[in-house]
Amino acid sequence: MTADVDRERPGARPAEGPGGGPGEQPGERPDRGAGEESGGYELFRDDWGIPHLRAADALALARAQGHATALDRAWQLETERHRMLGTSASHLGAEAVDWDRFVRRARIADTARRCFDRLAPETAAWVTAYADGVNEGLAEGAERAPEFAAVGLAPGRWEPWTPLGVWLSTHILFAGFPTKLWREEVARRLGEDRMTLFATDGPGTAGSNGWLLTGARTATGAPLLAGDPHRFIEDPGVYQQIRLACPEFDVVGLAVPGIPGLAHFGHTGHVAWAITNAMADYQDLYRERLRRTPDGGVEALGPDGWYRAHAHTETIEVAGAEPEQVEVVETDRGPVIIGGDPGAGARAGAGAETADVAAGGEASDAAEGAHPESGEAADGTFISLRYPPRVTGELGFDVLPALLRARTVADVDTALDRWVEPVNVVLAADTAGSTLHRVAGHVPVRPYANRLRVVPAEDPAYAWRGGETVPLPRTEVNGSAGIAVMANERGLAAPLGVEFAPPHRARRIRELLGGDTDWTSDAQAAVHTDTLLASSRQLLSLLAWAPALGPAADRLRDRLLRWDRHMDADSTDATLYARLRTDVVHRLAAHPALKGVTGADDPWRSAAYPALFRPWLAAVPRIGYALESLLTVGLLPYEDRLALVAASAEAVAAAADETPPAPWGELHRLSPWQALPDLAPDGVDAQAIRPGVAGDHDCVLSTSSVPGVTDLFARGPAARYVWDLARREDSRWAVPFGASGVPGSAHHRDQTPLWARGALAPVVTDWNLLHRTTPHRTAHHPEETPAMTAATEPVAPALRPAVHEQKIEGFGTVRLVPVDPAADAELLHGWVTEERARFWGMADHTREQVREIYEFVDSLPTHHAYLALRDGVPAALFQTYEPDADPVGECYDVRPGDFGIHLLIAPAEGEGAVKGYTEALLTAFIAYVFSDPAHLRVVVEPDARNEKALARMVRVGFELGPEIKKPEKTARLAFLTRAALGLA
């Protein structure tokens, strides 16, 4: 029986709606106790805008985390709060009604309140402090975020239990329970023996990569822990890079905005941990029999007969439309999430004989929203959801503060014994070399059939066995291999689930890691970005033996069989393979063997289920994801498979003759989820916001398009991390967008080029290298709107229009963007005041003086200053000038067509950090200069004593000229002509 459901039957206290907890009026707060305590905190940021928080104690730090998150992610926080409450449609309109209806029926908010009530007092105070911090920062954060003005929304209030509700609503679909609906339809339409025919990592579940290297496999002798969670990519991102420091602990990691602490990925300096989805099955669907009582109530049929179920009605406000009513019904199994309202018709005829609403098969009028007249039976599908937090009142949040305090693997292991949902595979390692590989979470004991399909509610055989849970597997990491991998495959968690990811990612990661015993943190990017598509083998094998191909199809076959099977962004072969795969998927979907679930019979078209579950019920994506197994055994005879692939080859070859394939990265672009359309400033390069990247569903670089539907992808690495247990400052991380959720702000999307390239940013741990920021309220004039204010924020260099862009093989993409003196003053001041930049002549300048100098340069028609970006990251200061308008022109005979340049390499890179670094930048600079036919000769003037720079110029093609005396140095002129480069 669902915990505490009895209290909602006749005689119990009234049920709570979304507005407040037991005995509370909406807006009232329970006694916060210790949560009232707060202190000041310090906010620092690194060059990527990532917040580093320091406070006097853990409660003040939790408050600080909430406050800082509200400043950076106010719109995201409020989006999640409304999604949890089922009130999104009130400002987003009718398209959000399906979600609102589901979370209200599933009783997410009420479950969050129950779980909060069962927290340990110290954890409740800690979570309350976080919510208080959010409330303190929301008003200021909302002023920065133009989305609030765009939809006319004011920020609301976070209750102490709100973070638990956000966690629940974020993960309620994580285990993919709607897949059971799909299996039911397959079994009914194709036969029971075909129920798991499409078994694979389905379109609605989330997966990840993670790996651990023991000290025997690393250059430092200490463990490395790395990976990337694969989720639907949202903008702003679902993971927030953050540092949390107080006298008790100092932890860096990836937080979930709206949740205190670091649940999934963290490094305390002593121990680090990471997770992937275990692919466990721990949520059940029950087919319910419901009937309306004469007084308008609802009864459900259970193992002991009919009983009164909880029922109440809620109103969903809808922007631009009439409000909608939803009846929330909960049986002893759990909340009813599928099925038409069983009450409207019977309630109209109250006093007549009770109407019995029984679960049936096909969609019916009841499922469409029509209702039976009194005394008239109606068949419909009514399905309840049973999930552990609703049953136990436990979510596992007591684990979160314990993880922050962990210093050893044993501490992490002990803490995770209390974890509930979602069920994860965990890897952990500490500085002593200890390691952990286990499953954490709550998996109830019940029959195996519950994992597969919808089961009858009235049959006691399908009940959960009291409070029993399945023993959670664990294994040793330390062995001869020194490698542990978690990639959602049928491995450690196999006893807990039904469908797992194909083994390709896990095998490939092991293969890559097994090739070296000298791994470093920087080298992990090569694993993150591997693009081998092992799942292509079966389709290519059938193509190899396809009979009687025409000349064009034969050429296509030869080309694809020579392909290296890497889904690289610049590969046209990868695009050809994707075209072939798409055609095969469509031909399978049209094959008579699958007629019962495709075309007009596609379960996606059924009205029996809410539209929210359609992604799990669509046949073509299911065929695309399961293509490898469908082409192997069980569905079609071998000869039919050969003929089908041959027909696809002919079609694709013919199309390729007319439309040659573009590089894969031009088609395979990110399509992130946003609650509102993009509000970035006008003129921003759309390709920079929706980057084209390498990878595919079964690659280690798992950028998951939907085979047979689209080459765009919405699921992929929602973050990347490398935790180094030798030196935490050698750890690395990256997210798809940036630290800020404010469109147009400097750090909204500054990590996108880094992420798209597969590169990683350093984890800065030295407080002296961070920038102190004082949290403050921004005052606006009455006539200003938040949207206007946000639009005037400086635009990050990576989002500025470029005067020149060039891809340099093996180095990256170099873009030249104009210096913004005000926005870039702090960055440039840091560069030009270093000792190595003394000849720049600004060693003793203040930030304001540097800004004034570049404002002066910006005002000159003859002098220009640019930031050189390498894959979006500032890499150098590049200045150009006309020699006859510069003092250097007084030191030599200026020729027509002479064009001078200055170059200052960013200190973060340093000399020799990347082989050929300066030469690669010079290649782009010179290409830019000579793109203007009026420029005939480049002039440079390095310090005469800088033999290294002079030698570099000679290697590039410069001819050395005379020494000249300048006030700040003795320089050596050097000249590069078009003729020297063969451009004359």
Side-chain angles (χ1 to χ4, degrees), residues 829-884:
H829 180 258
W831 290 2
V832 301
T833 55
E834 284 205 343
E835 169 60 23
R836 67 186 190 87
R838 61 189 180 280
F839 295 123
W840 211 255
M842 302 185 195
D844 59 351
H845 283 43
T846 65
R847 181 184 179 280
E848 275 301 301
Q849 288 172 323
V850 170
R851 179 184 61 78
E852 290 171 358
I853 287 172
Y854 282 97
E855 285 177 343
F856 174 70
V857 170
D858 193 43
S859 71
L860 299 174
T862 56
H863 291 62
H864 301 283
Y866 305 98
L867 283 178
L869 311 180
R870 179 195 181 205
D871 292 327
V873 180
L877 174 61
F878 176 60
Q879 294 181 209
T880 66
Y881 62 93
E882 296 178 14
D884 57 2

Side-chain angles (χ1 to χ4, degrees), residues 146 783-793:
E783 66 273 14
E784 290 181 334
T785 66
M788 291 167 54
T789 305
T792 63
E793 290 194 24

